[in-house]
Amino acid sequence: SLRVAILISGGGSNMLALVRSMTGDHPARPVLVASNDPGAAGLARAAELGVPTAAVDHRPFRGDRAAFEAALSEKLDAARPDILCLAGFMRILTPGFVAGWEGRMLNIHPSLLPLYPGLDTHARALAAGDTEAGCTVHEVTAALDDGPLLGQARVPVVPDDTPADLAARVLTMEHRLYPAVLRRFASGDRSPVHLS
Ligand code: GAR
């Protein structure tokens, strides 16, 4: 079966959904969860599920992204992943790193891309008066929050939603979308998944 590594920066709820989905006849299995934050809560949660973990603190590298990525790559390469999933990984990756994973790296983003790349997606959707929001899984290319679409899920915006309300509604869909996309992708099918 294919080997999957997952990069996280925080709580790792998407990582948990991915790990839990890789059972039974699934074409892939989790081989590593790694983080740029040694204190990321998701690392402990992955370890509880028996998945190997690694941390490479980005802070001592003081903005030298290539050096940080070299250290991260050592941990990744040791796990020999076929697929790399970004799941709430909050560091921008250099074109050099991305090139090494071309066609094998996925990301989940909390908006209906191409709308709202970057941060604060839910506040921006509300400020724009959008009646619909959602999340996107895409192949990672050197351009931030860009690359071939692998899946999208839509949720309604409800009157008086706060950014936190909307984030929670979208996150529930993220937990369905990302496992559905990974299963399809790992089986060699790159046609996009659509949920609503
Ligand atoms: C998720 O909403 C994910 O889409 C978002 O961060 C959250 C991580 O939650 N990702 C980004 O904003 C990427 N720039 P999680 O740690 O519980 O999966």
Side-chain angles (χ1 to χ4, degrees), residues 125-160:
L126 292 174
D130 294 353
T131 57
E132 200 174 46
C135 49
T136 302
V137 178
H138 62 97
E139 253 179 67
V140 176
T141 63
L144 180 70
D145 297 328
D146 200 356
L149 176 78
L150 295 172
Q152 221 157 38
R154 295 167 183 276
V155 302
V157 174
V158 174
D160 300 324

Side-chain angles (χ1 to χ4, degrees), residues 31-91:
V31 296
L32 182 69
V33 172
S35 180
N36 62 296
D37 178 359
L43 287 176
R45 299 166 88 184
E48 278 168 25
L49 292 179
V51 181
T53 62
V56 178
D57 191 339
H58 67 278
R59 288 167 295 192
F61 293 94
R62 299 188 141 272
D64 184 343
R65 292 186 190 273
F68 162 68
E69 289 168 355
L72 180 63
S73 290
E74 264 186 48
K75 309 270 191 189
L76 280 175
D77 293 347
R80 292 178 291 105
D82 300 297
I83 297 171
L84 182 56
C85 290
L86 308 183
F89 186 66
M90 303 306 280
R91 305 301 301 169

Side-chain angles (χ1 to χ4, degrees), residues 8-16 42 45 86-91 107-111 118-122 135-136 144-145 167 170-171 174-175 178:
I8 65 170
S9 295
S13 69
N14 277 291
M15 173 277 296
L16 285 177
R45 299 166 88 184
L86 308 183
F89 186 66
M90 303 306 280
R91 305 301 301 169
N107 179 47
I108 189 157
H109 182 76
S111 77
L119 300 176
D120 298 322
T121 54
H122 305 298
C135 49
T136 302
L144 180 70
D145 297 328
V170 170
L171 190 62
E174 293 185 43
H175 298 159
Y178 212 170

